[in-house]
Amino acid sequence: AHHALTFLYTGVSRPSKGFPRFQSLAFLNDQAVFHYDSESQQAQPLGLWGQVRGMEDWKEESRLQKAREEIFLVTLRDIMDYYQDSKGSHTFQGRFGCEFWSNGSSGAFWSYAYDGEDFIRFNKDIPAWIPLDTAAQETKKKWEAEKVYVQRAKAYLEEECPGILRRYLNYSRAQLDQQ
Ligand SMILES: *[C@@H]1O[C@H](CO)[C@@H](O)[C@H](O)[C@H]1NC(C)=O
Ligand SMILES: *[C@@H]1O[C@H](CO)[C@@H](O)[C@H](O)[C@H]1NC(C)=O
């Protein structure tokens, strides 16, 4: 079997009704686990996950998502400044997470897209951010301003994320057993 924990982040420069400036979704395999957006500022479990007790500290998760929202939107603004387009309508998307297979192999991914085009990607083996767009050279400089930043990103993908994935799997199994 294959198991993955995936986070999808979306930011827009021109929010509209029903489409907040920032939103994030977490998935266990293909099942949505929780949602957060800049309007509610609350990480909220989705579907059956709302009935699972103790799996996540939702207050703490809301704080974490709020902090990530700020960095995410600053990056979107930086890219728009780079292209000298402070008023345009643009989207920034992030996708990151980790996975493992029953044969013991594991993997991780972390990438961003600007207006639907590949923007920057993390290579955890170097570790370094790989720019895929001219403006991404600036983002890379900022995200690598201190050596500890890339070490933290690597540790997130290799340690923290698999820990969360194992925790969610454990709770999802317990939930399935109950039904
Ligand atoms: C485990 O399975 C995955 C997916 O089929 C494969 O990509 C990977 O190479 C396998 N790893 C080992 C150690 O066999
Ligand atoms: C696994 O889930 C159960 C509840 O279903 C919980 O009591 C236990 O602490 C969890 N273990 C871990 C390691 O998260």
Side-chain angles (χ1 to χ4, degrees):
H2 167 253
H3 294 293
L5 177 64
T6 309
F7 294 91
L8 297 182
Y9 284 15
T10 306
V12 293
S13 60
R14 284 192 187 163
S16 56
K17 201 163 164 45
F19 213 97
R21 188 171 291 279
F22 174 84
Q23 44 189 322
S24 56
L25 271 169
F27 291 87
L28 176 64
N29 303 329
D30 54 3
Q31 197 186 22
V33 177
F34 72 82
H35 172 261
Y36 167 94
D37 69 55
S38 50
E39 276 168 23
S40 70
Q41 303 205 347
Q42 304 284 330
Q44 283 161 335
L46 296 168
L48 286 173
W49 292 98
Q51 296 162 25
V52 185
R53 299 276 156 251
M55 137 188 153
E56 192 59 270
D57 177 340
W58 296 111
K59 270 201 177 137
E60 187 52 40
E61 189 62 42
S62 300
R63 272 195 290 272
L64 174 67
Q65 295 298 322
K66 170 86 188 131
R68 289 188 180 163
E69 170 194 332
E70 280 163 19
I71 299 166
F72 197 84
L73 293 177
V74 163
T75 309
L76 172 57
R77 214 164 308 129
D78 283 349
I79 304 167
M80 291 172 66
D81 286 348
Y82 180 90
Y83 288 118
Q84 301 185 329
D85 182 14
S86 60
K87 294 195 177 70
S89 174
H90 297 281
T91 61
F92 192 48
Q93 290 159 292
R95 182 179 179 276
F96 61 95
C98 51
E99 58 196 339
F100 40 73
W101 288 268
S102 44
N103 62 14
S105 279
S106 62
F109 42 93
W110 200 337
S111 63
Y112 293 88
Y114 179 64
D115 287 346
E117 303 280 331
D118 291 342
F119 182 76
I120 200 166
R121 175 167 46 79
F122 189 64
N123 180 321
K124 70 183 179 63
D125 299 321
I126 302 176
W129 287 98
I130 313 297
L132 305 165
D133 172 297
T134 347
Q137 310 272 0
E138 300 303 313
T139 306
K140 174 183 168 73
K141 266 187 219 156
K142 205 164 168 179
W143 289 359
E144 294 181 356
E146 291 186 35
K147 197 158 189 145
V148 66
Y149 295 170
V150 284
Q151 295 302 339
R152 264 188 220 141
K154 181 180 165 75
Y156 178 81
L157 289 181
E158 292 183 344
E159 290 154 41
E160 225 175 300
C161 182
I164 303 168
L165 173 51
R166 273 190 291 271
R167 182 153 49 88
Y168 285 6
L169 277 174
N170 169 48
Y171 281 96
S172 97
R173 281 192 194 111
Q175 179 71 19
L176 286 175
D177 289 348
Q178 274 180 22
Q179 284 167 12

